[in-house]
Amino acid sequence: MIKVEQISKSVKGKSPVGNMAIETSILKEISFEIGRGDFVAVMGPSGSGKSTLLYSVSGMDQVTAGRIVFDGINLTEMNEESLSRLRLNKMGFVFQNAQMLKNLSLFDNLILPGLVAKKEKAQVIRNRVRDLMIRMDIDELGGRDIREVSGGQLQRASICRAMINNPEVLFLDEPTGALNSAATDQVLDILEALNDEGTTIMTVTHDPRVALRAKKVIYIRDGEITGEKEFPVGGDREQALEDWLKRV
Amino acid sequence: MKLLLNLVRKDFKRNPAITTALTVFLILAALLMAGGLRVAGTMISAYDGLNQKALPPDYLQIHKGEYDSAALDRFAASQDNIQDFLTVRMLTINNANIIYHGETLEKVLMDNSFVVQNQGFDYLLDMDNQIATVKDGEIGVPVYYADTLGIATGDVITLKKDDYIKELKVTTIIRDAQMNVAMTSSKRFLISPADQEVLSLHMGEWEVSFEFLLKEGVDTGILEQAYAAANLPANGVAITASLLNLFNVFSYGLVAMIIIVISLLLIFMAMLCLSFIIRATMADEQTAIGEMKAIGFPGKAIATLYQLKYQILMGVAGIIGYLGAIPFGNFFAEAVVRYCGTGSNPGLKWVLPFLGLLFLSGMVAWGCHRVVKKNLHSTVVELLQGAGGRRREGHYILPSSGFKHTNLTIALGELTCKWREYGVILLVFIFVAFLMLLPMNMKQTIQDPSFITYMGVGESDIRIDIQYSSQLTQQQERVLAVLENDPDIEKYAIYKNGYVQAENDQGEGVNIRVESGDESVFPLAYLAGQAPVGKNELALSSMNATELDKKVGDELTVVYGGETMNLTVAGIYQDITYGGKTAKAAIDFNNQDVEVYILYLSLADGVDLDLKTNELRGALPDIKATPVPSFIAQTLGGIVDNLSRVEAAAMVIALLLSALVTVMFLKLVMAREHRDIAVKKAIGFTNRDIRIQLGIRLLVIQGLGILVGTVLANTLGEGIFSLMLSSMGATRMTLLIQPLKAYLICPAIQLLVVAITVIGGTRAVKHYHIKEQIME
């Protein structure tokens, strides 16, 4: 479904000493594939380039070299307009700190992408949001201001919003980074369920609990993939992951 | 200090667009403030300097015909408050007899007198402000003609009547403290006594002006009353120094006044923008301020940090504004220097702008200090909580049936939540629309043929004056014969103009100029009442009505030719001619008392106004035929020219201001909403969608601004215009608006400028990186 071929990304800047022009490499010739229905977790230390990789694969960030092919379309050759439409119709995105529009109630924030896409009637979209909110256990919060709900509730709401247009793939950037343990479990249960229903998921995380729910883990260090492993269901996945992380 | 300057430098680098726009804004305010004051300084010095040298009279009475000079001398000697007295003989020559470059001065509305240099006071000055002298065969030409007709020294003025021709060489250009400006309807040429005598044998008519110079501090009114009580010759207009001052101030000062008013409004706008920017900056930097406070950075130093930037900007703007005001002010003060010289106190034009800029800087510093101090009151914890403490904007509701116009709905929804933020820019847009429309509407009103109704006459096409001849009656009959048989002329009416004496409410006698003729041919809209009917009624101009304290239905006693008449005031009308003081009544003037016959005529449909005027001039060489639009323009003197300049300047300033404020505002809004923009991009809005939404918000506010500005220009503007012209005699003006220009072209230009600025200003949305904006 997604084919990442030899992508590199570098940024130009100035050296702290001597104020010289330098080029810093963030991603170095990275390649991997995500199949339909996959659940991929990208792990790595801070500054390793994992968020950049996620934003690049979702078309929100531009790469310096290489190709990203989504359903046969090369994202690196698409213009901004087409990428926006693609994000609207085929992708869902969840940020580390749930980002919502301040001037809309929580409910209106969730239906907005559906109304903008205009693929279905407004009533159908509203019903779907209500269903999703019930599923995420936030159905009582629809009329609230986004500053009146907790971080965990807001993160679940973000997932609702990301799912509103029935995306083919869900991108998540540290989805549990700002949550407590109970909220984290709740969010992960939902993600697992969505994946079971066929939604492809790519997430960036520090948290091994997230990686444990994934089917495949990619480890990245200094902009390079240092490990890639599938963890089949069954057996002691926690131990296997721990051992693997020690090795990569 | 070095640290502070470093921080300021970094801040400049971070917000170059806002900083540049704000600087230009401040420069514009400083330039206008300094420029307006430079014009004012130049004007005060020039006008004062001219008066010091020329010593114009404090009171003068025009008279035509016989008079008892001994009685006048006795009167002057008996009055302690008179410093000097002068009888000025003026030979008034018909414009058709004055030829320059092969053309007569018939096109010119001015009455032209040929005088000799006075002794004692009321001097005509040369261009070095020295008392002008001319020899036989030479002539001094009013600076007004040097300006409007391009007459220069070395040229020749020809005076021709029938077979008599006299050529006079222009040797000097004359500055006349009394009649310099276009608004005074007479001009004086300086010739030698011998030439004046010779000319008087062949052409023109003698008029005298009894002129009085009063001792310091004496009120002109005392002399005016004493003169009237002494029953001295007075069959012409009486003019006081205050009326001359009014004409001069109006002519020279109008531009300075308008520039200063615009600059004050601009300063107000600049203060609003500054306050908005400071608040926006500080709201975004609350966390940083909290951290500074937390580590013990003194509050005073934080305040200095945030004020310093704006004080530096004001300093830069002040210097540029002061320097820019030199050519700017000189351009607008050009006329006053030409008409009056550099004057008695040339230093004023340097000092006044400096003081003005000090005031402006003080205002900016005080404004910054107030806003910064107010924003620094929060506690460390409140500050560290940052945006959480910011005022909530509220929600808008998405349409339950889905979007018909997605961007429009979202933009309007957001606008309803963020309207408070748009208060400043709304005020600017209102101001811009007002600034563009008012001078335009004023000019349009003055140039419209119906403006003649403010001159005490109904709408007509051509005005004909018959005067300055001993054969007025014969001339008048000849003119009527021509008009009678001309099929191009639809209708005409003839009015005799002369003076009668009336009694004011204190029982004092005053001379009133009366127009006598058929008032039904060119019906006039009366402020109150109606046109006089029969011999027992009269109508008064509003200025006369005020001065005589009369209203419709009151009685007024007038004396003419020894006969006392009690006339009822039938109507009150507006009139800006003859100092605003006229009347209409069926007075049967003796031919020798008629000062001027004035005819108004309307042309048949399809007849060309200019061609017809020239044809009449050719057929009737002794008369003065003026198309009504030129008559209006010349009566109002330089006001039309000044308004044209102001209109152009106002348009440039207004549009520049719109663009600047739009850029500044957009940058601030985008900086403040960077997260929302990133979220929108992430959920699938395109850059174009976001730019359209920002644009719609601004254009809606601008539309509202244009609407309010237009209403204000038509209501408040009408009041301002009436106030301007009330001193001339028109108290209730109705602004005439060219709908296409005012309601379509002008708003369209404003919207276009803002739309283009939005397109340019929102280009940065493309570079708003979702990841960076969200993770920041």
Side-chain angles (χ1 to χ4, degrees):
Chain A
M1 183 186 192
I2 300 173
K3 219 170 172 183
V4 176
E5 297 172 358
Q6 297 281 307
I7 62 165
S8 297
K9 181 170 178 67
S10 53
V11 288
K12 286 178 181 149
K14 296 246 166 108
S15 64
V17 183
N19 209 21
M20 307 276 284
I22 53 165
E23 195 166 327
T24 311
S25 208
I26 299 173
L27 298 177
K28 297 168 193 162
E29 296 183 353
I30 285 182
S31 300
F32 62 91
E33 274 185 46
I34 300 174
R36 201 169 294 277
D38 258 358
F39 188 159
V40 177
V42 180
M43 297 189 78
S46 294
S48 57
K50 49 188 190 303
S51 283
T52 304
L53 179 65
L54 185 83
Y55 284 95
S56 299
V57 173
S58 61
M60 287 198 218
D61 202 356
Q62 284 180 333
V63 292
T64 322
R67 272 160 44 100
I68 298 150
V69 181
F70 179 91
D71 266 353
I73 309 162
N74 184 357
L75 299 192
T76 54
E77 286 176 355
M78 284 173 84
N79 63 23
E80 182 58 41
E81 193 95 11
S82 312
L83 280 171
S84 296
R85 294 295 161 216
L86 188 74
R87 277 201 292 275
L88 181 66
N89 293 308
K90 295 195 171 180
M91 296 175 179
F93 215 97
V94 178
F95 301 100
Q96 179 173 3
N97 293 309
Q99 301 290 341
M100 301 265 172
L101 298 176
K102 291 189 292 291
N103 297 125
L104 291 175
S105 65
L106 189 70
F107 185 82
D108 278 352
N109 257 295
L110 306 192
I111 61 168
L112 181 63
L115 295 181
V116 174
K118 293 182 181 170
K119 288 194 293 193
E120 292 161 304
K121 284 191 173 164
Q123 197 49 50
V124 176
I125 297 162
R126 285 173 182 275
N127 290 341
R128 184 175 314 122
V129 168
R130 281 191 197 101
D131 290 345
L132 281 165
M133 288 178 83
I134 291 168
R135 196 169 162 189
M136 306 282 174
D137 198 19
I138 51 170
D139 52 316
E140 302 288 318
L141 311 176
R144 291 220 192 152
D145 186 281
I146 54 162
R147 281 159 289 207
E148 292 171 349
V149 293
S150 71
Q153 289 167 330
L154 211 52
Q155 199 61 306
R156 279 178 277 153
S158 290
I159 297 170
C160 281
R161 185 180 62 187
M163 294 303 296
I164 188 68
N165 285 332
N166 290 322
E168 291 179 18
V169 59
L170 193 56
F171 294 99
L172 305 103
D173 184 11
E174 300 278 11
T176 58
L179 304 183
N180 61 26
S181 182
T184 298
D185 286 340
Q186 236 176 345
V187 166
L188 290 178
D189 289 343
I190 292 163
L191 290 179
E192 205 166 22
L194 288 171
N195 182 240
D196 289 345
E197 289 160 16
T199 308
T200 309
I201 294 175
M202 176 181 176
T203 180
V204 159
T205 186
H206 271 106
D207 188 348
R209 284 177 298 173
V210 179
L212 276 174
R213 308 283 183 117
K215 290 174 183 165
K216 181 160 88 178
V217 180
I218 294 173
Y219 198 87
I220 181 169
R221 186 191 296 275
D222 297 332
E224 286 175 292
I225 293 180
T226 54
E228 188 175 346
K229 187 170 171 64
E230 286 184 18
F231 293 90
V233 184
D236 192 352
R237 294 181 79 215
E238 197 172 341
Q239 189 57 51
L241 177 68
E242 201 182 318
D243 293 344
W244 182 72
L245 285 176
K246 276 179 193 160
R247 284 200 301 277
V248 293
Chain B
M1 193 64 190
K2 202 177 167 192
L3 172 75
L4 285 178
L5 286 174
N6 240 345
L7 285 169
V8 170
R9 198 163 48 86
K10 276 192 179 153
D11 190 62
F12 281 179
K13 274 190 174 170
R14 202 171 46 165
N15 296 313
I18 293 174
T19 310
T20 310
L22 186 61
T23 312
V24 177
F25 205 133
L26 287 172
I27 288 172
L28 214 55
L31 177 73
L32 284 178
M33 170 68 116
L37 287 171
R38 190 174 169 89
V39 176
T42 310
M43 188 194 90
I44 293 166
S45 165
Y47 185 49
D48 192 47
L50 182 72
N51 282 351
Q52 275 182 23
K53 287 279 178 67
L55 297 171
D58 293 305
Y59 178 74
L60 65 91
Q61 171 70 55
I62 303 285
H63 179 75
K64 199 164 80 172
E66 298 297 314
Y67 64 93
D68 180 359
S69 60
L72 279 156
D73 288 338
R74 279 196 302 277
F75 171 76
S78 70
Q79 299 290 317
D80 291 341
N81 44 30
I82 295 176
Q83 187 184 317
D84 210 345
F85 163 64
L86 203 60
T87 300
V88 179
R89 294 177 77 220
M90 303 184 290
L91 182 65
T92 310
I93 293 177
N94 194 330
N95 290 358
N97 302 130
I98 308 168
I99 299 160
Y100 169 69
H101 271 191
E103 259 192 73
T104 69
L105 294 197
E106 278 176 297
K107 280 184 194 161
V108 178
L109 190 71
M110 299 288 163
D111 299 331
N112 293 304
S113 301
F114 288 70
V115 299
V116 298
Q117 185 60 276
N118 294 319
Q119 301 296 321
F121 67 100
D122 192 20
Y123 297 113
L124 298 176
L125 305 182
D126 62 18
M127 294 305 273
D128 296 322
N129 277 9
Q130 300 302 314
I131 297 170
T133 51
V134 286
K135 296 185 193 125
D136 291 346
E138 293 178 353
I139 188 168
V141 172
V143 62
Y144 172 78
Y145 289 131
D147 204 22
T148 53
L149 301 178
I151 300 178
T153 50
D155 289 349
V156 172
I157 302 285
T158 308
L159 298 161
K160 182 173 179 291
K161 174 92 189 276
D162 303 327
D163 295 333
Y164 176 78
I165 294 178
K166 172 116 185 135
E167 290 195 335
L168 296 167
K169 190 179 174 194
V170 180
T171 53
T172 181
I173 303 296
I174 296 297
R175 286 182 179 144
D176 183 345
Q178 207 189 108
M179 299 178 181
N180 236 355
V181 295
M183 277 173 75
T184 52
S185 58
S186 304
K187 294 286 165 278
R188 295 192 287 188
F189 286 82
L190 181 68
I191 54 174
S192 73
D195 284 338
Q196 194 188 35
E197 282 310 315
V198 175
L199 273 174
S200 71
L201 299 174
H202 297 93
M203 64 181 84
E205 203 182 19
W206 284 110
E207 267 187 323
V208 282
S209 166
F210 306 119
E211 303 189 347
F212 300 90
L213 192 65
L214 300 179
K215 288 179 178 161
E216 195 75 30
V218 177
D219 178 24
T220 320
I222 295 169
L223 181 73
E224 215 174 340
Q225 284 168 22
Y227 190 92
N231 206 19
L232 291 167
N235 64 6
V237 67
I239 296 167
T240 58
S242 58
L243 187 66
L244 287 177
N245 271 333
L246 184 76
F247 284 158
N248 287 315
V249 168
F250 209 80
S251 298
Y252 302 136
L254 186 71
V255 172
M257 207 166 72
I258 291 176
I259 296 173
I260 292 171
V261 168
I262 294 175
S263 81
L264 287 176
L265 283 168
L266 257 184
I267 292 165
F268 174 65
M269 292 294 141
M271 295 298 293
L272 280 178
C273 287
L274 257 176
S275 149
F276 179 73
I277 290 169
I278 297 173
R279 273 185 287 124
T281 313
M282 294 192 76
D284 288 339
E285 293 189 7
Q286 283 198 338
T287 317
I289 297 169
E291 281 168 6
M292 280 194 268
K293 273 190 151 186
I295 59 170
F297 220 70
K300 211 176 161 187
I302 302 172
T304 310
L305 172 69
Y306 282 96
Q307 285 172 61
L308 190 62
K309 170 181 167 179
Y310 301 104
Q311 281 163 4
I312 290 173
L313 283 191
M314 189 56 237
V316 172
I319 292 167
I320 297 174
Y322 190 80
L323 295 175
I326 297 171
F328 178 82
N330 289 353
F331 174 71
F332 281 102
E334 207 186 326
V336 75
V337 172
R338 195 163 52 251
Y339 278 70
C340 302
T342 48
S344 54
N345 196 352
L348 266 184
K349 68 179 175 198
W350 300 104
V351 176
L352 285 185
F354 182 72
L355 293 177
L357 289 178
L358 274 187
F359 166 74
L360 179 58
S361 309
M363 289 267 291
V364 169
W366 174 77
C368 289
H369 181 72
R370 223 170 54 100
V371 180
V372 169
K373 227 174 140 188
K374 206 172 156 193
N375 277 271
L376 280 176
H377 274 158
S378 316
T379 64
V380 174
V381 175
E382 282 166 350
L383 288 165
L384 288 173
Q385 278 170 350
R390 219 184 269 170
R391 183 168 40 200
R392 289 206 176 168
E393 291 170 345
H395 297 156
Y396 64 96
I397 297 165
L398 295 180
S400 55
S401 54
F403 288 127
K404 278 200 179 77
H405 307 284
T406 309
N407 291 329
L408 182 68
T409 312
I410 289 177
L412 293 181
E414 286 176 339
L415 197 55
T416 55
C417 300
K418 297 173 193 285
W419 61 271
R420 279 191 187 88
E421 272 181 28
Y422 287 78
V424 172
I425 198 156
L426 175 65
L427 275 176
V428 174
F429 285 143
I430 291 173
F431 169 69
V432 162
F434 183 81
L435 187 63
M436 273 179 83
L437 275 184
L438 187 58
M440 187 190 289
N441 289 348
M442 282 184 183
K443 204 177 122 191
Q444 171 68 24
T445 306
I446 286 177
Q447 287 181 332
D448 194 277
S450 68
F451 192 80
I452 190 79
T453 58
Y454 297 110
M455 298 178 156
V457 193
E459 272 189 61
S460 53
D461 294 320
I462 296 176
R463 170 183 159 132
I464 292 176
D465 292 51
I466 309 168
Q467 62 187 140
Y468 311 125
S469 161
S470 52
Q471 299 153 342
L472 280 185
T473 317
Q474 292 91 318
Q475 270 186 314
Q476 181 247 130
E477 282 163 3
R478 227 172 51 238
V479 171
L480 292 181
V482 169
L483 299 183
E484 195 63 49
N485 299 317
D486 192 336
D488 289 347
I489 291 160
E490 190 185 273
K491 59 178 179 179
Y492 68 89
I494 183 160
Y495 303 95
K496 287 179 182 178
N497 284 256
Y499 285 86
V500 298
Q501 212 169 45
E503 249 178 37
N504 65 14
D505 55 341
Q506 275 110 41
E508 297 151 352
V510 285
N511 280 332
I512 298 182
R513 186 189 176 89
V514 175
E515 177 190 271
S516 172
D518 186 352
E519 301 295 341
S520 64
V521 183
F522 295 104
L524 181 66
Y526 280 74
L527 278 180
Q530 58 199 11
V533 181
K535 292 203 159 193
N536 297 322
E537 289 187 343
L538 97 164
L540 289 173
S541 70
S542 72
M543 253 186 160
N544 257 340
T546 310
E547 201 166 291
L548 297 166
D549 195 22
K550 298 289 176 195
K551 53 186 187 302
V552 173
D554 287 354
E555 286 224 330
L556 180 71
T557 305
V558 302
V559 180
Y560 171 69
E563 191 191 340
T564 303
M565 293 167 267
N566 285 325
L567 304 178
T568 307
V569 178
I572 293 169
Y573 59 94
Q574 303 188 77
D575 192 354
I576 59 167
T577 58
Y578 304 100
K581 294 177 187 172
T582 61
K584 294 173 191 290
I587 304 283
D588 202 5
F589 285 114
N590 294 323
N591 284 340
Q592 70 270 19
D593 290 335
V594 174
E595 196 212 12
V596 56
Y597 286 98
I598 298 176
L599 288 102
Y600 288 98
L601 49 98
S602 273
L603 300 178
D605 280 348
V607 179
D608 185 277
L609 180 59
D610 289 331
L611 283 179
K612 193 70 213 171
T613 310
N614 286 335
E615 193 186 311
L616 286 172
R617 281 175 186 158
L620 301 159
D622 287 343
I623 55 98
K624 186 160 74 178
T626 320
V628 162
S630 313
F631 172 67
I632 298 168
Q634 289 190 43
T635 304
L636 289 172
I639 294 181
V640 177
D641 289 343
N642 282 339
L643 277 179
S644 296
R645 281 186 178 198
V646 170
E647 185 191 15
M651 181 158 303
V652 172
I653 290 170
L655 293 178
L656 186 63
L657 203 64
S658 300
L660 278 176
V661 173
T662 304
V663 167
M664 219 152 61
F665 192 77
L666 270 177
K667 292 286 169 193
L668 284 173
V669 165
M670 281 157 58
R672 188 171 264 195
E673 296 180 14
H674 66 101
R675 269 176 217 274
D676 283 356
I677 291 173
V679 172
K680 282 182 185 172
K681 283 173 105 170
I683 61 176
F685 282 98
T686 63
N687 289 327
R688 193 168 156 270
D689 290 332
I690 294 162
R691 292 172 73 184
I692 289 173
Q693 288 166 21
L694 286 167
I696 289 174
R697 268 148 66 174
L698 263 175
L699 290 172
V700 166
I701 290 293
Q702 196 194 13
L704 191 64
I706 290 173
L707 196 73
V708 178
T710 306
V711 170
L712 280 181
N714 295 347
T715 50
L716 187 66
E718 208 161 81
I720 293 172
F721 194 37
S722 296
L723 196 70
M724 274 170 68
L725 292 187
S726 63
S727 54
M728 293 174 74
T731 47
R732 199 189 299 159
M733 301 293 307
T734 304
L735 275 177
L736 296 175
I737 295 148
Q738 216 178 1
L740 186 73
K741 216 169 156 188
Y743 298 138
L744 200 72
I745 298 174
C746 226
I749 293 172
Q750 292 173 65
L751 287 166
L752 188 72
V753 166
V754 170
I756 291 171
T757 315
V758 168
I759 292 169
T762 55
R763 204 166 273 186
V765 168
K766 270 201 281 197
H767 309 295
Y768 272 52
H769 203 288
I770 299 171
K771 185 182 124 198
E772 282 164 11
Q773 300 302 327
I774 282 182
M775 293 178 76
E776 195 177 74

